[in-house]
Amino acid sequence: QVQLVESGGGLVQPGGSLRLSCAASGISFGIYVMGWYRQAPGKQRELVARITSGGDTHYADYVKGRFTISRENAKNTVYLQMNSVKPEDTAVYYCNAWWASDYWGQGTQVTVSS
């Protein structure tokens, strides 16, 4: 069965950094578009960033220049490097794998607070 397991969330101060990881199993990872989404309390889930099998990236405007998505196909893992974080980045962050089917991880909490 397909599993996407996120890790790396936690509490970070404003202006700090955090690196999220998502390890995938049960899929042909290299062909999938991998993405990070987030959902804050009372809000809809929104796209943060995605990366294609060829390494092309797309970012939401509110994270451009601060977050970087990358993938390591040999490890079936996608990363989200979060720099200069802000309180409004507080949310549950979800990993997504999309190709013929759509898969989601369970999410990891990121809290930005002093």
Side-chain angles (χ1 to χ4, degrees), residues 1-111:
Q1 63 275 29
V2 178
Q3 278 194 311
L4 302 178
V5 180
E6 301 99 336
S7 61
L11 175 64
V12 59
Q13 291 187 342
S17 297
L18 210 58
R19 189 197 197 201
L20 305 183
S21 300
C22 171
S25 60
I27 59 173
S28 297
F29 182 82
I31 67 172
Y32 275 73
V33 176
M34 300 301 298
W36 286 97
Y37 289 72
R38 70 186 186 187
Q39 187 167 18
K43 295 188 176 181
Q44 289 189 327
R45 191 173 297 188
E46 59 186 9
L47 174 69
V48 175
R50 62 173 177 254
I51 184 167
T52 69
S53 58
D56 294 328
T57 57
H58 170 81
Y59 296 92
D61 287 343
Y62 43 81
V63 303
K64 279 182 181 177
R66 301 189 297 123
F67 292 7
T68 302
I69 189 171
S70 62
R71 64 191 297 162
E72 193 168 359
N73 290 343
K75 293 186 176 181
N76 287 3
T77 301
V78 62
Y79 306 96
L80 184 69
Q81 179 66 43
M82 306 169 61
N83 297 331
S84 302
V85 297
K86 305 174 181 180
E88 50 264 44
D89 293 322
T90 295
V92 177
Y93 283 71
Y94 296 91
C95 178
N96 172 262
W98 178 83
W99 184 241
S101 300
D102 198 17
Y103 301 104
W104 294 90
Q106 292 300 305
T108 185
Q109 176 70 47
V110 172
T111 302

